[in-house]
Amino acid sequence: KLLKDKKIERVVFNEITKKAVTNGIENPRQIEPLLVDAYMARRALDYLVGFNISPILWTKLPGSKSAGRVQSVALKLLTEREHEIEIFKPDEFWTLSLNLKTYTGTQINANIFQLEGNKIEKFSFKNKDDINLAIEKIKEKKYNIKDLTSKIYSRNPSGPFTTSTLQQSASSKLGFGASRTMQIAQRLYQGIDIAGETVGLITYIRTDGTNISNEAVNVFREYIDTNYGKEYLPNEANNYSGKKAKNAQEAHEAIRPTDINKFPDDMKKYLSTDQYKLYNLIWSRALSSQMQSAKFDRKTILIESEDSKNILKASGSVIKFDGFLKLYKTGNEEENEKILPKVDKGSVNIESFIDEQHYTQPPSRYSE
């Protein structure tokens, strides 16, 4: 009744900044019937599913609050995973590596790539007897370093955060639970008091889009050029909007700082410890998404028996150019930093064997 005979329009903005809100108010849209219908359909589903199932839950599972279109699907995923874990039977397998010494006295650790002309797979050695047999076969022959290769490969930065990737990263890097992450992010989005003015530090936090507005990308690129240098700036802006999830609505931008020039350390005095940690994570991930790829030099040493039937390999990578890693570490850099010694082609002697027993693991339970 209150709205009868009044003109109703829809104002849209995706970030709490003066510019975005003013722009939204200046460019109102019509109410979109399809969006209203979609909302009504969701509400109907909630009534049909929730109102019918919830009372059953209360009687059968005391303590359960509700069921609904989301909980029902989540429960199905959990029960399916639990079933997989229950029926899982572990398989035993062994791995074998060698410590070698070159004629100049350099130590190398190598894995078996091929034995008696057969490529070594995960389950090639099923038990200790297989390992002992392999050791005997390897010992029978003399070995030489046959080939040394070096290959540069790139690792590209990840796209800026969506709601789910933010929750995952905050969990693994900061140890925050999903609800804690969202509470902190909500405050950063709604606004922080900075010198008497309420300023939203990040864009809308409920999004499955990975795109960033052109305007923001240009500011990011300027910032990288000024603060890190030309070599950290790709020739063209990195575009993540092409990597769409099948059912992504793409209604909002990815989660990014509203102003990249609000450097986390400058904001620290206005933020709580947790707010600073999360803002720093969002700021770093968003900016690093527009930086140059990291470059690694992957070296491989190929060691063969004289009849070429047994092949051993040693490999390791070293960071040549840090690129986006200067700003945002992904967590698996350490394993790449296995530096191989400098060696020349020539004979090698076997010093020792390292065998390890393993068992396959069931699928793990889901985290939040």
Side-chain angles (χ1 to χ4, degrees), residues 294-339:
K295 301 267 189 294
F296 293 84
D297 184 4
R298 185 172 182 82
K299 287 188 164 59
T300 305
I301 302 171
L302 206 64
I303 300 154
E304 285 188 7
S305 58
E306 286 165 323
D307 61 0
S308 298
K309 287 194 170 178
N310 296 352
I311 301 173
L312 315 173
K313 264 187 187 179
S315 54
S317 299
V318 180
I319 293 179
K320 277 293 189 202
F321 172 66
D322 54 1
F324 75 94
L325 294 173
K326 191 174 190 73
L327 194 60
Y328 188 85
K329 299 277 189 281
T330 53
N332 47 4
E333 287 75 45
E334 285 70 24
E335 68 204 41
N336 283 298
E337 284 283 299
K338 183 189 169 192
I339 301 170

Side-chain angles (χ1 to χ4, degrees), residues 114-304:
Q114 185 181 298
L115 186 61
E116 301 284 278
N118 299 315
K119 191 170 180 241
I120 297 299
E121 306 285 352
K122 183 176 179 177
F123 292 105
S124 292
F125 308 129
K126 290 193 173 67
N127 50 47
K128 184 71 173 169
D129 291 343
D130 288 354
I131 289 285
N132 292 338
L133 193 64
I135 289 173
E136 290 309 312
K137 285 178 181 173
I138 292 165
K139 277 180 175 174
E140 287 168 6
K141 295 171 183 172
K142 288 187 163 60
Y143 294 86
N144 286 296
I145 294 177
K146 190 84 179 194
D147 199 14
L148 305 161
T149 57
S150 180
K151 190 180 174 189
I152 302 286
Y153 73 95
S154 299
R155 192 192 302 158
N156 299 326
S158 300
F161 284 131
T162 60
T163 308
S164 70
T165 54
L166 173 65
Q167 289 175 355
Q168 289 163 33
S169 293
S171 171
S172 61
K173 284 174 174 283
L174 307 175
F176 292 177
S179 53
R180 182 176 169 197
T181 299
M182 293 312 283
Q183 274 175 339
I184 301 162
Q186 183 74 28
R187 279 302 311 278
L188 294 172
Y189 165 67
Q190 281 182 341
I192 300 290
D193 190 349
I194 296 174
E197 190 186 351
T198 303
V199 180
L201 290 180
I202 59 173
T203 55
Y204 190 51
I205 54 175
R206 287 180 184 80
T207 173
D208 54 15
T210 46
N211 55 311
I212 289 182
S213 71
N214 291 336
E215 185 191 342
V217 166
N218 292 335
V219 177
F220 283 20
R221 284 177 63 80
E222 241 171 74
Y223 188 95
I224 294 164
D225 192 11
T226 309
N227 293 278
Y228 296 95
K230 280 265 187 288
E231 68 271 27
Y232 286 91
L233 192 65
N235 292 335
E236 283 180 21
N238 296 332
N239 179 18
Y240 299 94
S241 53
K243 305 180 179 75
K244 281 185 180 144
K246 260 198 295 227
N247 54 357
Q249 296 174 39
E250 297 283 346
H252 302 287
E253 278 189 79
I255 303 169
R256 63 165 176 87
T258 50
D259 180 0
I260 204 71
N261 291 298
K262 288 193 166 60
F263 186 58
D265 284 358
D266 294 342
M267 296 295 103
K268 202 171 188 174
K269 57 179 175 284
Y270 305 111
L271 303 171
S272 71
T273 311
D274 285 357
Q275 286 171 346
Y276 165 74
K277 282 181 184 171
L278 196 67
Y279 179 62
N280 190 31
L281 191 69
I282 294 166
W283 188 92
S284 305
R285 173 79 166 233
L287 187 61
S288 71
S289 75
Q290 286 304 319
M291 289 174 84
Q292 191 62 271
S293 303
K295 301 267 189 294
F296 293 84
D297 184 4
R298 185 172 182 82
K299 287 188 164 59
T300 305
I301 302 171
L302 206 64
I303 300 154
E304 285 188 7

Side-chain angles (χ1 to χ4, degrees), residues 33-51:
L34 290 176
L35 289 180
V36 177
D37 291 347
Y39 158 68
M40 297 300 274
R42 286 200 302 273
R43 211 166 68 159
L45 262 182
D46 285 337
Y47 287 157
L48 289 167
V49 178
F51 285 23

